Amino acid sequence: MHILKGHIIILSACALAVFSCKEKPVVVRDTIPYVKQVAGDSLGTRLFDLVEDFDEACASGAIAVVGEPEQGTLLSRLLMSFDRFDNVDGHCGGDGLPDFSGEEIGVYLDEYNAPYDNIIRSGRTDYLREVAVRSFLAALDTACRVSPFDPDNLIRKAPAKVVILSSTAMSAYGLFDIDTLCRMAGRSVPVISPVHTAVGKVLPEDGSPINIGVWADSSVAAARVYEEVFDEIYKPSKGLKSTLAVITPDDGADVGDRFMRFLQIYKETYPDKQLQALLIDDFGVNMTELSARLEEIRKEDSYEMMNYSKVLAPDFRFVYVMDAVAERCFRLMRERSLFTHHVAYPSIHFYQTVDDGLEDENPYTVIDFNKRYLSDDTIQFIENVQN
């Protein structure tokens, strides 16, 4: 087994420069060293077994939500009450029952590494890629520690059957490495990325051009994660004409005024283009208030409102990124027959990352939920969302 894993790593490295005498070298993106260590089990952790032993047809297990505490908490609460589909036939339209009825949602609060934008600003994006892989493996595991200081005191937990990367930054930087690890193991683990999901949702299947806006906070905008994923999925080098603009409207104003500021900035950036879709990747945005302002812009015939209305295409729509992720999770679980079909409301269980507390190669570890190791801000946020 270890010999085979070694060969996989060597082949991966060789793929970095594939060329013939008559062709220019084709550079293939390489994965991070941690993925190679896990696949080769050079650390003796047997973590690769978690991926190799993953049962793609097993409906038991949890929907794992991994990432920064705020995003993970908000997304998990959305999943608990999400009702956009008929639970029997899967058609669009709520039926009064949560779409994830009978499911356990495991929320992994990465308190140790948050906020991720600090990691990005410091130029340590490879470390963020490693954090994504570690989070993925922790979600697949069947056990975690009770405290950081006793590695032998473990509790059993539900392993993930679906993994959702709740953080925009984590999904943009770490999805490639998670996918590489799964390919090395020959397993198709369902992993959902908010950035890839949202961009993929609005891009027309027929390749026709579309103008996309992204309403994101300043840290997401500065990291250019949407632009990178857009280039990866859409490949504008082929001469296609779609556009994507990431904008952070002014803080401090109400949601409606911030929307109008967004449109003003967009018009200045693309004076000859109409906006067709706006991805909302700001968890503080109230979608009800935003939709109300859109209706006001559409209906009022003042000169000011008409100028804003002209920026919007007739088929303009909002796409709340967290809603898109929940929809993707539902459809993916139906495609793979991963629902438990238990007659019960969704349940939720929290885990968290803490300093490892031991002198080993791991900077941090995952433990069962314990407020003692969470910051006051995180505790307050969780309580506010739950109430």
Side-chain angles (χ1 to χ4, degrees):
M1 183 63 70
H2 293 293
I3 295 176
L4 176 59
K5 293 174 184 175
H7 283 316
I8 293 173
I9 292 172
I10 292 171
L11 289 172
S12 177
C14 290
L16 291 174
V18 181
F19 59 93
S20 70
C21 296
K22 296 182 179 180
E23 297 177 344
K24 294 181 179 179
V26 177
V27 178
V28 180
R29 182 181 179 186
D30 194 14
T31 190
I32 54 175
Y34 182 69
V35 168
K36 298 176 184 180
Q37 291 171 350
V38 169
D41 200 30
S42 61
L43 302 176
T45 60
R46 301 188 66 83
L47 289 172
F48 196 57
D49 293 347
L50 296 173
V51 191
E52 280 194 315
D53 296 340
F54 181 80
D55 187 349
E56 300 169 16
C58 183
S60 63
I63 301 169
V65 178
V66 304
E68 295 166 282
E70 290 190 5
Q71 289 92 328
T73 301
L74 287 170
L75 180 54
S76 64
R77 300 310 300 182
L78 173 67
L79 295 175
M80 292 285 289
S81 60
F82 199 70
D83 182 24
R84 298 289 176 84
F85 300 93
D86 186 298
N87 287 30
V88 176
D89 58 23
H91 291 158
C92 289
D95 57 3
L97 292 174
D99 290 334
F100 299 99
S101 293
E103 301 301 325
E104 177 179 335
I105 300 168
V107 190
Y108 295 77
L109 308 173
D110 189 11
E111 175 90 350
Y112 180 86
N113 294 295
Y116 293 159
D117 59 293
N118 285 348
I119 300 175
I120 296 171
R121 280 201 299 266
S122 66
R124 298 184 299 135
T125 53
D126 277 0
Y127 177 68
L128 184 54
R129 293 167 66 182
E130 180 177 323
V131 168
V133 176
R134 287 181 178 273
S135 299
F136 169 72
L137 292 170
L140 294 186
D141 209 341
T142 58
C144 72
R145 294 185 196 177
V146 175
S147 79
F149 308 106
D150 187 357
D152 297 322
N153 187 10
L154 304 175
I155 62 166
R156 287 194 60 82
K157 69 176 186 65
K161 59 182 176 182
V162 178
V163 179
I164 300 176
L165 309 179
S166 64
S167 162
T168 298
M170 176 185 278
S171 71
Y173 285 103
L175 184 64
F176 168 81
D177 300 287
I178 293 172
D179 181 65
T180 299
L181 189 62
C182 292
R183 289 175 181 272
M184 288 178 172
R187 289 290 181 270
S188 176
V189 183
V191 181
I192 299 174
S193 153
V195 186
H196 293 78
T197 297
V199 174
K201 181 179 176 66
V202 296
L203 283 175
E205 294 183 2
D206 62 2
S208 56
I210 183 173
N211 301 314
I212 306 167
V214 181
W215 178 329
D217 63 35
S218 56
S219 63
V220 172
R224 296 187 56 80
V225 293
Y226 273 95
E227 290 91 338
E228 290 189 12
V229 171
F230 177 71
D231 289 351
E232 171 192 329
I233 295 177
Y234 185 66
K235 303 187 186 308
S237 60
K238 292 183 177 180
L240 303 177
K241 302 299 182 182
S242 288
T243 63
L244 181 139
V246 182
I247 298 171
T248 303
D250 299 334
D251 291 328
D254 66 36
V255 170
D257 290 344
R258 294 180 70 196
F259 176 45
M260 295 171 74
R261 176 57 179 159
F262 185 104
L263 297 179
Q264 181 181 345
I265 297 173
Y266 183 84
K267 183 178 181 180
E268 293 169 358
T269 307
Y270 293 106
D272 300 323
K273 295 185 181 296
Q274 286 189 310
L275 187 63
Q276 292 164 274
L278 177 53
L279 310 183
I280 308 297
D281 191 356
D282 186 330
F283 300 132
V285 172
N286 185 308
M287 294 301 296
T288 301
E289 295 178 11
L290 196 59
S291 298
R293 182 57 61 93
L294 174 62
E295 185 176 355
E296 181 183 343
I297 291 173
R298 292 292 202 192
K299 287 184 176 180
E300 191 173 326
D301 57 2
S302 68
Y303 178 78
E304 179 186 14
M305 288 301 185
M306 288 179 63
N307 278 336
Y308 286 116
S309 183
K310 289 178 181 178
V311 180
L312 304 171
D315 59 348
F316 171 82
R317 57 174 171 151
F318 294 118
V319 175
Y320 189 42
V321 173
M322 286 206 299
D323 282 353
V325 168
E327 290 176 8
R328 175 60 186 145
C329 185
F330 180 87
R331 294 183 188 279
L332 188 152
M333 289 177 66
R334 283 197 60 97
E335 291 168 6
R336 297 200 177 195
S337 300
L338 294 179
F339 281 99
T340 62
H341 301 296
H342 293 164
V343 182
Y345 280 100
S347 63
I348 191 167
H349 196 109
F350 287 94
Y351 308 92
Q352 64 198 77
T353 58
V354 295
D355 189 296
D356 185 67
L358 303 172
E359 294 183 359
D360 56 25
E361 71 282 351
N362 297 312
Y364 61 95
T365 190
V366 175
I367 65 171
D368 197 26
F369 185 73
N370 189 329
K371 289 184 179 180
R372 175 183 175 185
Y373 301 106
L374 286 176
S375 68
D376 292 339
D377 288 343
T378 298
I379 294 171
Q380 185 64 52
F381 185 84
I382 294 173
E383 291 176 348
N384 290 342
V385 171
Q386 290 179 329
N387 293 333

